[in-house]
Amino acid sequence: MNFAAGIVTGKAGSSMDWGVNTAYKTYKGVEVEPKHMMDMTLIPSIDPIDIGLGSSEKGNAAPSAKPRKKTMTSVYLKFFETAPDGKSRRCKFCGQSYSIATATGNLGRHLANRHPGYDKSGDAAASTATAPQTTVIVKKSQPQGKAHQVDYDHLNWLLIRWLILASLPPSTLEEKWLVNSFRFLNPSIQLWPGDKYKAVFREVFRSMQEDVRLSLEQVSSKLSIILDFWTSYESFFYMSVTCQWIDESWSFRKVLLDICHIPYPCGDSEIYHSLEKVLENYNIENKVLSCTHDNSQNAIHACHTLKEKFDGQKAGPFCYIPCAARTLNLIIDDGLRTTKPVISRVREFALQLNECTDFSEDFIQFSMAYREGSWKFPVDTSARWSGSYQMLDIVHKAGKTMEAVVRKNGEKLGDRMILTAAEKTAVSIVHGYLEPFYKTTNNMCTTKMPTIGLILFFMDHISEMITVCRESRHTPEWLKSAAEDMAKKARSYSSQVCNIFTYMTAILDPRIKCELIPENLNSENHLEEARAHFMRNYSTGHFPSVTSGYGAHEMEDGGSVSFAEEIARKKRRGSIVSATDELTQYLSEPPAPMPTDVLEWWKVNSTRYPRLSVMARDFLAVQATSVAPEELFCSKGDEIDKLRFSMPHDSTQAILCIKSWAQDGIKFKYRSTEIDYERLMELAAASVADNNVTSSDKKQK
């Protein structure tokens, strides 16, 4: 590796545009001489624990106090001379010119193609150099680690990027076989100690967190936060705090604020104080409109305490909302209660199908013979709702096929996987009952923006399905019993979520309005309260030009108003009154079709409802779920749970936050200085090409 410097750009005087995401930006560097490029300072104010992206040699574990000047070490440069303007190099054999930024590997290819045997005649060409000594290319093979001067700090920064994007702790790099693999490639490679990686992570976290804080200062609308909780393998209890809003261009924005370790005893008081600290650190207490929690009692009590604080400060309306997805997941779990033993056996069968090609091919052939549909493998075998419904699907739609495969491969699969007629009947009943639930969760997972209004619409439909099951004469008693428990959970959710706050949020969804709101939420009192809230907070407060009505230049005779102006004022007042009635006009129109993009609709219609659209930007950011539905109902959640559970305590906050911020497009920084990973990759690629050319030359010699 022959990495050049120039990895970090400061805040001022920068001529480089660093990229962060995998879709990297174009490098905009100024062409400079190699010596100057190598002498650039990469990280300002290096302390012993801080990281300088300087060169490293074998046995050099720590950076020297005084930066050393670097020199270009490629043997090919001896056959080129630099032009007086410092912008190009000229071949000493043929006079061909190349840009100063040309990779040395390309220079080597020029020599090999245009001047075969250049290494033997190189003495004559090199004799024109200022030094009197003769340049000699040693044919004897050199130790791999000393072929080039290697800047291993560049490698360490690339490894930091890898650790963060892969969500791996720094201790990963202390694994013996990984270290040995690096040393096999180059014995002189020097990896930073684990403590140094951790120090860099902490500094990067602080720098990027400051950027998040500054970006939130520019947000003009209200913010909504969501809380999620989990416990790690070390029995540490964590809370993630995420912030969401809708920007001026009607784009939905979301950013992770922090990962908080909740101290023992992990109760509502500890949750409240941790949440309060996060809001204070970002200075957004006066902007928060709502908090969506995970339905736990501790989270509910913590949010209630936060509401009491905001009410005491008269900071504006605030509401905390239970997670609809978690409620629905518990409701479905009650519905699966009777068939869980059968589902477990079918899951074992499905795992065998996924693992053995012979079994899956038998399944496909039998399903075609029995006309039980077409199946693709692997099937979803997760223990989440999507996987459980897939197991019901196999029994309900391909029961004969399943039995035929089991009987054909009885020695390997065992007869215990053959279901009785009663078990098949029970599965078919549950499958039919839960099919609307599956369609609902599918819609929740695939909807671009599951608003409060849409989720309440879905939950109301779920309640209706439960009621039909309970009241049907054909429903078996065991399913009615399950439906009773399902109904209790649905009623509990409804009692928590049905209030004026969610009513206002729901009617601002142009697909829902008043027509599709659940009956227990839709009342004249709520409508009047919503109108009063709109008039009080949005009718003129966001539009000072409307409030004034006229400017100072309209005044005549030292402040007296002309008769014509008095008439004009009356007309202006009349127009203002009609403007403040935007809510009535909006609700009088029929709802938009369900496929409508809510944010796009408001973007187009914001000119018709200039004041109401401001209210919509605030309230439509409120979330009905504390976790993305696909992370709860689908196998995607398994990967997230594994990651969170296995992350060590000393890396959880920094790695998870930095990864989330980088994926959201926030610049990767160290001490407020951007790190150019695109440039690092370019240097790495050039180094590989350089080494390949060198290896080719050695083989030819």
Side-chain angles (χ1 to χ4, degrees):
M1 304 177 188
N2 187 18
F3 289 168
I7 309 308
V8 182
T9 178
K11 292 182 178 179
S14 169
S15 60
M16 306 180 187
D17 185 14
W18 301 141
V20 169
N21 295 326
T22 51
Y24 295 106
K25 295 182 180 179
T26 305
Y27 173 67
K28 301 176 182 177
V30 177
E31 293 183 346
V32 294
E33 290 191 57
K35 182 176 183 297
H36 297 161
M37 175 70 80
M38 299 301 292
D39 288 345
M40 288 176 63
T41 301
L42 302 177
I43 294 290
S45 62
I46 306 301
D47 297 324
I49 191 62
D50 295 329
I51 312 305
L53 297 184
S55 64
S56 304
E57 294 181 353
K58 188 174 182 178
N60 244 359
S64 59
K66 183 177 180 181
R68 295 171 299 171
K69 291 190 175 181
K70 306 175 185 177
T71 57
M72 194 70 79
T73 58
S74 175
V75 295
Y76 307 122
L77 293 180
K78 299 172 183 178
F79 302 95
F80 290 82
E81 58 184 5
T82 303
D85 61 359
K87 294 185 177 180
S88 62
R89 292 192 183 95
R90 185 174 64 85
C91 176
K92 294 179 180 179
F93 293 106
C94 63
Q96 175 70 41
S97 293
Y98 289 90
S99 167
I100 198 72
T102 302
T104 54
N106 292 333
L107 301 181
R109 282 187 282 275
H110 166 85
L111 293 172
N113 296 332
R114 298 285 297 275
H115 311 291
Y118 68 91
D119 52 323
K120 298 178 181 178
S121 59
D123 295 349
S127 63
T128 58
T130 55
Q133 62 188 33
T134 304
T135 301
V136 179
I137 298 179
V138 182
K139 295 183 180 180
K140 184 179 179 180
S141 61
Q142 301 292 318
Q144 189 176 3
K146 296 184 179 180
H148 298 280
Q149 182 182 357
V150 181
D151 195 333
Y152 294 118
D153 283 333
H154 295 180
L155 170 63
N156 282 290
W157 277 97
L158 289 172
L159 289 175
I160 283 178
R161 178 81 172 186
W162 170 63
L163 289 174
I164 289 172
L165 295 184
S167 302
L168 296 173
S171 58
T172 303
L173 297 178
E174 297 174 0
E175 204 281 324
K176 181 178 69 173
W177 289 104
L178 182 62
V179 174
N180 288 341
S181 299
F182 280 117
R183 289 175 179 168
F184 174 79
L185 295 173
N186 192 327
S188 62
I189 279 180
Q190 298 288 331
L191 299 183
W192 293 336
D195 289 343
K196 193 173 277 192
Y197 282 109
K198 292 175 185 177
V200 172
F201 284 164
R202 287 193 294 269
E203 189 57 47
V204 170
F205 169 80
R206 284 191 288 266
S207 296
M208 297 180 74
Q209 187 182 47
E210 178 62 16
D211 280 359
V212 174
R213 189 186 67 80
L214 293 175
S215 69
L216 290 177
E217 287 183 356
Q218 309 304 315
V219 176
S220 60
S221 61
K222 291 287 187 178
L223 306 173
S224 294
I225 57 176
I226 59 176
L227 309 180
D228 197 16
F229 301 88
W230 70 93
T231 303
S232 72
Y233 76 99
E234 297 173 307
S235 296
F236 285 110
F237 187 57
Y238 292 100
M239 173 180 69
S240 69
V241 185
T242 305
C243 176
Q244 303 177 135
W245 71 97
I246 298 172
D247 64 18
E248 290 83 353
S249 61
W250 288 95
S251 296
F252 184 76
R253 304 289 301 278
K254 177 179 179 180
V255 65
L256 176 65
L257 297 182
D258 210 344
I259 303 289
C260 307
H261 165 227
I262 307 299
Y264 182 83
C266 311
D268 57 288
S269 177
E270 289 75 25
I271 292 175
Y272 165 72
H273 288 299
S274 297
L275 177 57
E276 182 184 41
K277 184 178 179 181
V278 172
L279 300 182
E280 289 176 353
N281 287 343
Y282 284 94
N283 193 28
I284 59 174
E285 288 181 296
N286 292 332
K287 290 184 176 182
V288 175
L289 181 65
S290 71
C291 178
T292 307
H293 55 78
D294 71 337
N295 304 356
S296 65
Q297 288 301 310
N298 285 334
I300 292 173
H301 293 154
C303 290
H304 181 73
T305 305
L306 186 64
K307 177 174 172 56
E308 289 180 336
K309 176 185 177 180
F310 287 165
D311 290 346
Q313 295 176 344
K314 297 182 179 179
F318 173 79
C319 183
Y320 50 95
I321 300 171
C323 176
R326 294 189 185 278
T327 300
L328 183 53
N329 198 48
L330 293 175
I331 291 173
I332 291 171
D333 197 56
D334 281 339
L336 292 171
R337 186 168 57 202
T338 303
T339 54
K340 280 185 178 180
V342 178
I343 290 174
S344 296
R345 286 157 60 193
V346 179
R347 183 173 284 113
E348 288 184 27
F349 172 74
L351 287 169
Q352 293 289 340
L353 294 180
N354 288 343
E355 293 173 4
C356 181
T357 306
D358 292 339
F359 294 164
S360 59
E361 289 179 353
D362 286 344
F363 190 94
I364 292 173
Q365 291 176 3
F366 280 123
S367 64
M368 292 176 62
Y370 288 122
R371 296 183 179 180
E372 291 186 326
S374 59
W375 297 82
K376 294 183 179 180
F377 294 91
V379 296
D380 183 0
T381 58
S382 71
R384 295 177 183 268
W385 165 230
S386 61
S388 296
Y389 189 79
Q390 179 80 79
M391 301 306 101
L392 297 176
D393 228 27
I394 290 175
V395 177
H396 178 70
K397 296 180 179 179
K400 293 180 181 179
T401 299
M402 177 181 172
E403 184 172 345
V405 173
V406 173
R407 292 191 182 280
K408 179 181 178 181
N409 303 278
E411 293 183 0
K412 296 180 180 179
L413 296 177
D415 293 339
R416 60 189 177 81
M417 291 189 181
I418 297 178
L419 305 182
T420 66
E423 288 173 331
K424 291 180 180 178
T425 300
V427 166
S428 294
I429 291 172
V430 172
H431 181 277
Y433 173 49
L434 294 182
E435 185 175 9
F437 293 71
Y438 182 71
K439 292 179 179 179
T440 298
T441 54
N442 257 4
N443 270 274
M444 291 174 64
C445 292
T446 55
T447 299
K448 181 180 178 181
M449 187 178 175
T451 62
I452 287 278
L454 185 63
I455 296 301
L456 290 179
F457 171 74
F458 283 144
M459 294 298 287
D460 190 49
H461 175 65
I462 292 296
S463 295
E464 290 175 357
M465 294 298 101
I466 295 173
T467 301
V468 170
C469 176
R470 292 167 59 207
E471 296 177 353
S472 174
R473 294 180 304 165
H474 305 290
T475 303
E477 289 301 319
W478 55 266
L479 187 55
K480 281 188 177 182
S481 176
E484 288 292 342
D485 293 336
M486 298 168 77
K488 290 178 184 178
K489 291 180 173 61
R491 286 194 297 268
S492 175
Y493 172 79
S494 180
S495 66
Q496 294 180 60
V497 79
C498 288
N499 53 56
I500 178 58
F501 189 94
T502 52
Y503 175 85
M504 289 190 292
T505 307
I507 64 174
L508 290 171
D509 185 334
R511 303 167 299 181
I512 305 298
K513 296 190 176 180
C514 293
E515 282 82 349
L516 299 180
I517 284 183
E519 186 177 347
N520 60 342
L521 182 62
N522 199 359
S523 70
E524 282 297 324
N525 289 339
H526 281 161
L527 179 58
E528 291 306 315
E529 288 184 52
R531 182 175 284 109
H533 180 82
F534 169 63
M535 297 282 287
R536 184 169 58 251
N537 295 280
Y538 296 94
S539 60
T540 57
H542 293 267
F543 303 90
S545 59
V546 175
T547 308
S548 60
Y550 55 93
H553 64 278
E554 296 177 300
M555 306 295 288
E556 299 176 1
D557 300 329
S560 61
V561 180
S562 67
F563 177 71
E565 180 58 31
E566 289 181 3
I567 298 175
R569 284 190 182 186
K570 291 180 181 179
K571 290 188 174 292
R572 290 191 189 103
R573 291 192 192 103
S575 64
I576 292 173
V577 171
S578 62
T580 56
D581 205 26
E582 289 177 10
L583 180 60
T584 301
Q585 175 63 30
Y586 163 78
L587 293 176
S588 67
E589 299 175 357
M594 275 297 174
T596 301
D597 185 320
V598 175
L599 297 186
E600 185 63 28
W601 188 95
W602 274 107
K603 183 177 181 180
V604 171
N605 289 275
S606 58
T607 53
R608 295 178 58 209
Y609 307 110
R611 295 157 181 80
L612 191 61
S613 64
V614 177
M615 182 176 174
R617 271 184 59 204
D618 287 345
F619 279 80
L620 288 176
V622 178
Q623 292 298 289
T625 63
S626 65
V627 62
E630 64 270 20
E631 294 176 9
L632 186 64
F633 297 121
C634 306
S635 57
K636 179 181 178 181
D638 292 333
E639 297 301 319
I640 296 174
D641 286 350
K642 291 176 187 176
L643 168 65
R644 289 175 167 180
F645 180 78
S646 61
M647 184 69 67
H649 176 63
D650 57 4
S651 304
T652 297
Q653 181 191 45
I655 289 183
L656 295 184
C657 286
I658 294 171
K659 179 181 179 179
S660 177
W661 293 336
Q663 290 174 337
D664 288 338
I666 298 170
K667 303 291 186 180
F668 195 102
K669 290 187 174 182
Y670 178 84
R671 291 197 168 185
S672 302
T673 306
E674 297 171 20
I675 308 299
D676 182 16
Y677 274 101
E678 179 190 6
R679 180 59 175 160
L680 275 173
M681 295 303 296
E682 289 176 355
L683 295 173
S687 177
V688 170
D690 223 5
N691 290 335
N692 289 341
V693 172
T694 302
S695 299
S696 177
D697 290 344
K698 288 180 179 179
K699 290 180 181 179
Q700 292 176 3
K701 296 173 186 178

